[in-house]
Amino acid sequence: LDLELASVQANMSRFFRHTGSDSDSSTASSDEEDPVPVRTLAPQRGAIYLSDEEEDVKRVVRSQKDKRFDEIAEAARAIKNSRKINDVAKVTQGFENLVRVYQKAKGVLSQETTQPRIFIKALAELEDFVQELWEDRKKLSKTNSKALLTLKQKLRKYNKDFEGDIASYRENPVSEPSGSELEQENDEKHSELDEESDGQPEKSTRPPRKSTDAAAGKQSQPVKRESDSGSESEEWMSSSVSESEEEREGGGPQMLTAAFFLKGNTEKLSKRKRERVVRVKQEEEEEDESWETVPLADSKKDKPLFAKDAEINHAAVLEKLNELLSGRGRKGTDHLVLSEQLQTLRQISDKEELGPAMSVKLLIQSIMCVFDYNVKVQACMKAETWQLCLDKVRELIQVLDGNESVKLSDAIADEAENVTNIDEPLFVKGSVVVLLERLDDEFVRILQNTDAHSTDYIARLADEPHIVQVIQEGKAYIEKTGTTEEKCRAYLRAIEHLYYKIDKRSLHTDDQVDGGTTALDTQTPSTADTHRVSMDHLCKFIYSKDTSDRIRTRALLCNVYHWAVHGYWYDARDLMLMSHLQESIQHSDVPTQVLYNRTIVQLGLCAFRKGLIKDAHNTLQDIQSSGKAKELLAQGLMAQKFSDRTPEQEKVEKRRQIPFHMHINLELLECVYLTCAMLLEIPNMAAHEFDYKKRMISKAFHYVLRVSERSPLVGPPESMREHVVAAANAMRTGDWQACRDYMLRVKVWNLFLNPEKIKEMLSRKIQEESLRTYLFTYSSVYESLSLTTLSEMFELPSPVVHRILSKMMISEELQASWDEPTQTVTLHHAEPTRLQSLALQLSEKVASLVENNERIMDNRYGGYWFKQGWQGQQQSGQSSQMSSGRSRPQVHGLA
């Protein structure tokens, strides 16, 4: 009502403004009457004013079919935009949205004979996009690669229903659609153009509107009729309409009326849109004909380094070299492009025959630029870049080998370099050892940043023989021209690629398990051409020539590791003990400490393979009892809930990790340790069953047993720990066969080089320790034991049983003696009975209780024994006074 009242008042005000007329009656009345004042309406509070541009937009009524087509087109457009930026995750979301929209539009599309062309086109283009990315999926990130696999599976499954439509589209992709699809595609195509042209004035796209003034003039001409009043009313109506149109054309603010919300006629709008579509098509065709492909401007690396007529000599090349190196380290400098420019400069130098020293200098600078390409410390060099650097280092070594006149040294100052004067010695600043170390470090970093369970890791590991060959070539060159320090550094790099590898020609083949030095242990390493010979040669040179503790320490640890891997237990053990590294290793750097831990672990495994159970347990105890074997061996970071490790410390720890192919299996390590602990702990528990203070050999093994005993339901063993616990319980009861079966079911024994020998040794050890456990448990029951009976019970040879019993008698573990004629053992029963053992335990507990009580009294009264002594003195004094009082009563009375 307020809007209608406002419109009526506006028309009335317009009527009073235009009351002028040529008739006599109007002039007469105007002379007699006063002019009526025109009342202007103030802008109302709730009124909405629109400009002429906003008024031109009218509401368009579209059918349900057109709306569904719009949704499909919008989903296809979103997929296309995501494909442009190679965002596979968004493409996957767009595909799911397209499928959802198509399912929603199925009710409308059921009336059509064919599928929407824009929908089929989107599916076909999506197939091509997936196929193209699938070929280069190695270059994608981890997120995009995972999304691409999901998208490919979904798309292949969904497109089975549209194979015929997609095939027909691929045969004729340029066929024009008809009907609503044409209008839909045109609307989709030109909606973007309309959005872009909103902020710009239209030039020729909109047809010029006819002058409203002329139209108003034509309409305002009076029509000659018999009645003047009729002509006058028509003239007033025409003038008012023309004036209202002038106000709208003038761009003035318009008050929003109720007529604005009524549905308008859309025929003019749709007709104008079709005309615009045709006009834009013509303009695009004209523009396509006028456009020409312009080649890209020449990049910086394609520009010539010298002018055509420039004289190329040593000074010019050095000047250009300094010019190129001036941009090294600056922001925005592409180091690969700089390396290529230096390579081009080297080719020019070789072409002009400026000498090998200039070629070596340029090649060294080119290699350093490739190394500088990786700016981040955590990131690794790309495999292709590393391969390029490897080829250049190999080429440098070959050039230096072919030109012995060129001397390379890192101690030369820049001013002392000589690359021009051939008559004097040629000196170039640089070091082959530094390049080899940098190349080797980058190789290790590449392995650290590659997924160890992927084929990429295997592909990168295949490059190790190449870098080993380059190190050998560099070592041969340094042996001829390098200093002692450089030789030691080069030898250490060769050792670090050799010490963990197993050479079957160097394996220890002796099956002796009872200790002692064998013939192979005393054999000199030079008797066979094996890896042990190479290790012995390199390590001995470092032992005698090196002046730095780090290189000598690492070489010694690598030597011990290599001997332990090949089974030379006594050589490795003696070398480790003579070095006294266990006393000073805490002062070394972290990588050297990690190498020390790896060497200790390998020594323990070597002792276990030789059957030295006690030595193996003592060697592995420090690593396994800490609970951080994974971190101590640098084979990964353990997840800690309340860890104080900062992100920077975590990055440093990751850079120290050992490559995966050098790892020691942690499950095998734990299994060996628990097995050794079981073979030592079970007989010890049987021997000291009734002791008050039980001595534990392995706390970790006791913890595993307690965890198993607390479990309410004990089922068949599945994991490695459960098998060890089940074997320990069987050994406790004397069932050695069940114990052996449980231990041999563990699959980690197959990780050893000779698993059958390991299983045979383990079975023999279980039989021997089960015999010892049986004797400790039931010695108080028997008067004598037959050697033959024990041999048959535990399926051991009689000499072995005789040896075990004799050792137990000598060490006073068993109170018995041999009766040689009858081959029996007579037990003396010197040990207490069960009742006596319980009485001894009770006395020990009472003594401990008394000590605790005295300690409590000391804390409360400040010295229990002092107080007791003072009370004793006081009592003795009183007794002396009483005796003196009896003898001299008068003194007491006087007092």
Side-chain angles (χ1 to χ4, degrees):
L1 293 177
D2 295 337
L3 291 175
E4 292 181 358
L5 180 60
S7 61
V8 171
Q9 291 176 351
N11 290 332
M12 291 176 63
S13 63
R14 189 180 295 113
F15 169 77
F16 286 114
R17 281 201 304 270
H18 296 281
T19 53
S21 177
D22 295 337
S23 61
D24 298 336
S25 60
S26 61
T27 53
S29 60
S30 61
D31 294 335
E32 296 174 358
E33 298 177 0
D34 296 332
V36 179
V38 179
R39 183 181 178 185
T40 59
L41 287 175
Q44 296 186 7
R45 209 170 199 178
I48 303 174
Y49 296 96
L50 301 174
S51 62
D52 59 339
E53 295 179 359
E54 294 175 347
E55 191 177 2
D56 288 342
V57 180
K58 295 183 179 180
R59 184 176 179 182
V60 180
V61 180
R62 309 201 66 176
S63 63
Q64 188 75 7
K65 180 179 178 181
D66 293 340
K67 291 181 180 179
R68 298 305 177 215
F69 270 98
D70 280 342
E71 293 176 354
I72 295 175
E74 184 65 28
R77 190 185 302 115
I79 294 175
K80 185 176 181 181
N81 293 336
S82 301
R83 282 193 289 109
K84 289 180 181 179
I85 60 176
N86 286 337
D87 192 344
V88 187
K90 285 189 177 180
V91 171
T92 306
Q93 295 177 1
F95 172 69
E96 295 174 352
N97 186 30
L98 179 64
V99 172
R100 195 182 308 110
V101 169
Y102 179 78
Q103 293 293 335
K104 189 177 179 181
K106 261 190 174 182
V108 179
L109 298 176
S110 60
Q111 303 174 1
E112 298 287 334
T113 57
T114 58
Q115 299 293 340
R117 182 173 177 273
I118 191 170
F119 176 72
I120 301 300
K121 178 182 177 183
L123 294 181
E125 291 179 350
L126 202 53
E127 272 189 356
D128 299 338
F129 172 74
V130 171
Q131 186 64 26
E132 180 182 355
L133 283 187
W134 187 257
E135 296 175 356
D136 299 334
R137 61 184 180 277
K138 294 183 179 180
K139 299 180 181 179
L140 297 177
S141 63
K142 191 173 182 180
T143 305
N144 281 345
S145 179
K146 186 177 180 182
L148 180 63
L149 180 61
T150 305
L151 178 61
K152 184 180 180 182
Q153 294 174 353
K154 290 183 178 181
L155 188 64
R156 181 191 304 170
K157 182 178 180 181
Y158 188 75
N159 284 3
K160 288 182 180 179
D161 300 335
F162 305 97
E163 290 180 352
D165 297 326
I166 295 175
S168 60
Y169 169 77
R170 293 187 185 278
E171 292 175 359
N172 189 15
V174 296
S175 62
E176 291 293 335
S178 60
S180 59
E181 294 185 10
L182 175 62
E183 184 178 352
Q184 178 66 32
E185 289 193 1
N186 290 337
D187 294 345
E188 175 190 352
K189 183 176 181 180
H190 300 293
S191 60
E192 299 177 358
L193 296 175
D194 294 340
E195 292 174 0
E196 293 177 359
S197 61
D198 284 344
Q200 301 177 359
E202 297 183 5
K203 295 180 180 178
S204 60
T205 57
R206 178 180 294 182
R209 183 182 295 178
K210 293 182 180 181
S211 176
T212 55
D213 296 336
K218 290 180 182 180
Q219 294 178 2
S220 61
Q221 292 178 2
V223 182
K224 295 181 180 180
R225 293 185 181 180
E226 296 177 359
S227 174
D228 293 337
S229 62
S231 62
E232 185 177 346
S233 62
E234 289 180 4
E235 183 180 0
W236 171 78
M237 289 296 294
S238 62
S239 63
S240 63
V241 171
S242 63
E243 189 176 17
S244 62
E245 289 182 358
E246 288 176 3
E247 290 181 1
R248 285 196 299 269
E249 295 294 336
Q254 298 295 324
M255 198 180 326
L256 189 63
T257 61
F260 179 81
F261 297 96
L262 299 177
K263 292 183 179 180
N265 191 9
T266 60
E267 293 180 359
K268 296 181 180 180
L269 184 62
S270 59
K271 182 178 179 181
R272 184 170 54 188
K273 183 174 289 188
R274 282 195 290 270
E275 291 176 356
R276 185 179 302 172
V277 168
V278 175
R279 185 168 57 254
V280 171
K281 262 192 175 181
Q282 294 175 357
E283 292 179 358
E284 286 181 354
E285 292 175 358
E286 294 176 359
E287 289 178 356
D288 292 340
E289 294 176 358
S290 60
W291 284 106
E292 295 180 0
T293 305
V294 180
L296 293 174
D298 294 337
S299 59
K300 187 177 181 180
K301 65 178 181 179
D302 296 334
K303 293 182 180 180
L305 297 177
F306 298 99
K308 292 183 178 180
D309 302 333
E311 181 182 359
I312 301 176
N313 51 21
H314 291 86
V317 172
L318 290 176
E319 183 181 358
K320 178 58 70 173
L321 175 62
N322 294 329
E323 179 185 345
L324 293 177
L325 293 181
S326 62
R328 180 180 171 187
R330 293 182 180 177
K331 186 177 181 181
T333 302
D334 192 346
H335 293 84
L336 286 181
V337 175
L338 182 58
S339 177
E340 292 177 4
Q341 290 176 344
L342 292 173
Q343 186 68 20
T344 306
L345 186 61
R346 177 171 172 263
Q347 294 174 0
I348 296 174
S349 173
D350 294 343
K351 184 179 179 181
E352 297 295 333
E353 298 180 355
L354 298 181
M358 180 64 72
S359 179
V360 169
K361 182 178 178 62
L362 294 174
L363 187 55
I364 291 176
Q365 296 298 332
S366 177
I367 294 172
M368 297 307 295
C369 286
V370 176
F371 281 133
D372 291 344
Y373 178 68
N374 187 23
V375 182
K376 296 182 179 180
V377 179
Q378 291 81 12
C380 64
M381 184 183 290
K382 294 183 179 179
E384 297 80 6
T385 309
W386 181 86
Q387 188 66 39
L388 174 64
C389 191
L390 178 69
D391 297 337
K392 290 188 176 184
V393 172
R394 181 185 287 114
E395 184 181 1
L396 174 64
I397 296 173
Q398 293 174 357
V399 172
L400 292 173
D401 281 335
N403 299 274
E404 297 181 357
S405 60
V406 180
K407 304 298 181 182
L408 201 65
S409 177
D410 203 16
I412 299 175
D414 295 337
E415 297 79 8
E417 282 187 332
N418 180 23
V419 296
T420 58
N421 192 356
I422 305 177
D423 299 333
E424 298 179 0
L426 299 175
F427 291 102
V428 179
K429 184 177 181 180
S431 176
V432 176
V433 180
V434 173
L435 298 179
L436 291 176
E437 290 176 346
R438 185 77 181 272
L439 188 67
D440 192 20
D441 293 340
E442 289 294 339
F443 177 71
V444 173
R445 191 175 298 174
I446 289 173
L447 294 179
Q448 289 174 348
N449 289 270
T450 307
D451 185 9
H453 304 285
S454 64
T455 56
D456 293 340
Y457 189 88
I458 300 176
R460 301 285 74 78
L461 192 60
D463 295 331
E464 189 183 14
H466 302 297
I467 188 173
V468 171
Q469 182 182 0
V470 171
I471 290 175
Q472 293 296 334
E473 294 175 358
K475 181 171 67 68
Y477 169 76
I478 293 170
E479 286 175 350
K480 296 185 295 184
T481 61
T483 61
T484 304
E485 182 184 358
E486 291 178 344
K487 291 179 183 179
C488 292
R489 292 166 65 184
Y491 284 3
L492 182 61
R493 289 291 170 172
I495 289 172
E496 289 179 346
H497 282 277
L498 185 64
Y499 77 96
Y500 63 90
K501 296 177 181 177
I502 298 177
D503 184 10
K504 293 185 178 180
R505 300 172 298 172
S506 302
L507 288 175
H508 195 294
T509 57
D510 191 17
D511 293 335
Q512 183 179 358
V513 297
D514 58 349
T517 303
T518 63
L520 284 177
D521 288 332
T522 58
Q523 173 183 340
T524 57
S526 59
T527 56
D529 185 13
T530 59
H531 284 180
R532 187 177 179 184
V533 176
S534 302
M535 288 287 298
D536 185 70
H537 168 68
L538 298 175
C539 291
K540 281 184 177 180
F541 181 85
I542 293 177
Y543 296 159
S544 59
K545 301 293 183 181
D546 181 60
T547 57
S548 63
D549 293 336
R550 183 181 183 275
I551 295 180
R552 186 170 60 253
T553 301
R554 291 187 67 86
L556 189 143
L557 291 173
C558 291
N559 197 5
V560 173
Y561 190 103
H562 187 75
W563 282 351
V565 165
H566 291 84
Y568 296 93
W569 156 253
Y570 294 102
D571 287 347
R573 182 199 64 181
D574 295 342
L575 182 59
M576 176 64 76
L577 293 177
M578 286 188 299
S579 65
H580 298 283
L581 283 179
Q582 60 273 14
E583 300 174 2
S584 60
I585 192 63
Q586 66 271 13
H587 303 297
S588 303
D589 57 333
V590 176
T592 305
Q593 294 181 19
V594 171
L595 181 58
Y596 175 82
N597 295 336
R598 287 168 51 82
T599 305
I600 291 297
V601 167
Q602 202 59 247
L603 271 175
L605 295 178
C606 178
F608 178 78
R609 291 196 302 269
K610 303 296 288 184
L612 306 174
I613 303 301
K614 189 172 184 180
D615 292 333
H617 179 269
N618 294 337
T619 307
L620 299 176
Q621 186 172 10
D622 292 337
I623 300 293
Q624 284 297 121
S625 60
S626 64
K628 299 179 181 180
K630 191 175 184 180
E631 290 185 345
L632 292 176
L633 298 177
Q635 296 182 183
L637 299 178
M638 298 181 64
Q640 300 178 0
K641 295 182 179 179
F642 305 101
S643 176
D644 297 334
R645 189 189 299 127
T646 61
E648 289 76 13
Q649 293 176 348
E650 188 171 354
K651 291 177 182 178
V652 172
E653 290 291 337
K654 287 183 179 179
R655 290 200 298 270
R656 295 171 180 164
Q657 300 303 303
I658 299 297
F660 181 75
H661 67 282
M662 300 171 62
H663 283 192
I664 299 173
N665 192 283
L666 297 178
E667 186 178 3
L668 175 63
L669 178 61
E670 184 181 6
C671 182
V672 168
Y673 175 73
L674 292 178
T675 303
C676 295
M678 178 194 71
L679 294 176
L680 295 175
E681 194 68 63
I682 296 301
N684 180 68
M685 293 169 62
H688 303 87
E689 182 179 2
F690 302 109
D691 291 355
Y692 173 64
K693 294 182 179 180
K694 296 181 180 179
R695 294 171 294 177
M696 289 189 298
I697 299 177
S698 174
K699 293 183 179 180
F701 180 73
H702 277 274
Y703 174 76
V704 173
L705 288 180
R706 286 197 302 270
V707 171
S708 176
E709 292 173 356
R710 290 173 186 171
S711 59
L713 180 62
V714 179
E718 296 179 357
S719 63
M720 179 270 300
R721 288 188 179 184
E722 292 178 355
H723 278 87
V724 174
V725 170
N729 293 330
M731 184 181 286
R732 274 182 177 181
T733 60
D735 190 357
W736 66 270
Q737 293 178 342
C739 176
R740 180 193 60 185
D741 295 339
Y742 281 129
M743 292 305 301
L744 295 184
R745 288 177 193 170
V746 181
K747 297 180 180 180
V748 295
W749 305 125
N750 297 324
L751 299 176
F752 281 112
L753 192 61
N754 297 317
E756 297 301 327
K757 292 183 178 181
I758 299 298
K759 292 179 181 179
E760 181 182 352
M761 180 272 298
L762 187 59
S763 299
R764 187 172 62 255
K765 288 294 180 182
I766 289 174
Q767 289 173 307
E768 295 176 359
E769 298 302 326
S770 297
L771 173 60
R772 285 167 45 84
T773 305
Y774 181 81
L775 292 174
F776 283 133
T777 305
Y778 300 107
S779 61
S780 61
V781 178
Y782 293 100
E783 293 290 338
S784 63
L785 291 171
S786 173
L787 180 64
T788 307
T789 304
L790 292 175
S791 177
E792 292 176 356
M793 285 179 60
F794 294 95
E795 297 181 5
L796 288 172
S798 297
V800 175
V801 177
H802 189 280
R803 173 172 57 84
I804 295 172
L805 290 174
S806 299
K807 283 186 176 181
M808 294 176 67
M809 294 175 190
I810 293 172
S811 60
E812 298 182 355
E813 294 177 348
L814 184 65
Q815 302 296 327
S817 61
W818 280 107
D819 188 4
E820 293 294 340
T822 59
Q823 290 292 313
T824 57
V825 178
T826 303
L827 301 173
H828 299 311
H829 297 292
E831 64 274 1
T833 61
R834 184 176 180 83
L835 180 60
Q836 293 172 346
S837 300
L838 293 175
L840 290 174
Q841 289 185 18
L842 179 60
S843 63
E844 290 179 357
K845 289 182 180 180
V846 170
S848 176
L849 183 61
V850 171
E851 291 178 2
N852 293 333
N853 190 20
E854 291 175 353
R855 192 177 297 110
I856 293 173
M857 296 297 293
D858 288 342
N859 295 333
R860 180 174 298 180
Y861 296 107
Y864 176 77
W865 293 106
F866 174 79
K867 184 177 180 180
Q868 186 180 14
W870 179 79
Q871 290 178 352
Q873 293 178 1
Q874 187 179 20
Q875 290 177 1
S876 61
Q878 290 177 358
S879 61
S880 61
Q881 289 179 4
M882 290 175 65
S883 61
S884 62
R886 292 192 191 98
S887 59
R888 292 184 299 173
Q890 68 279 8
V891 176
H892 181 70
L894 293 173

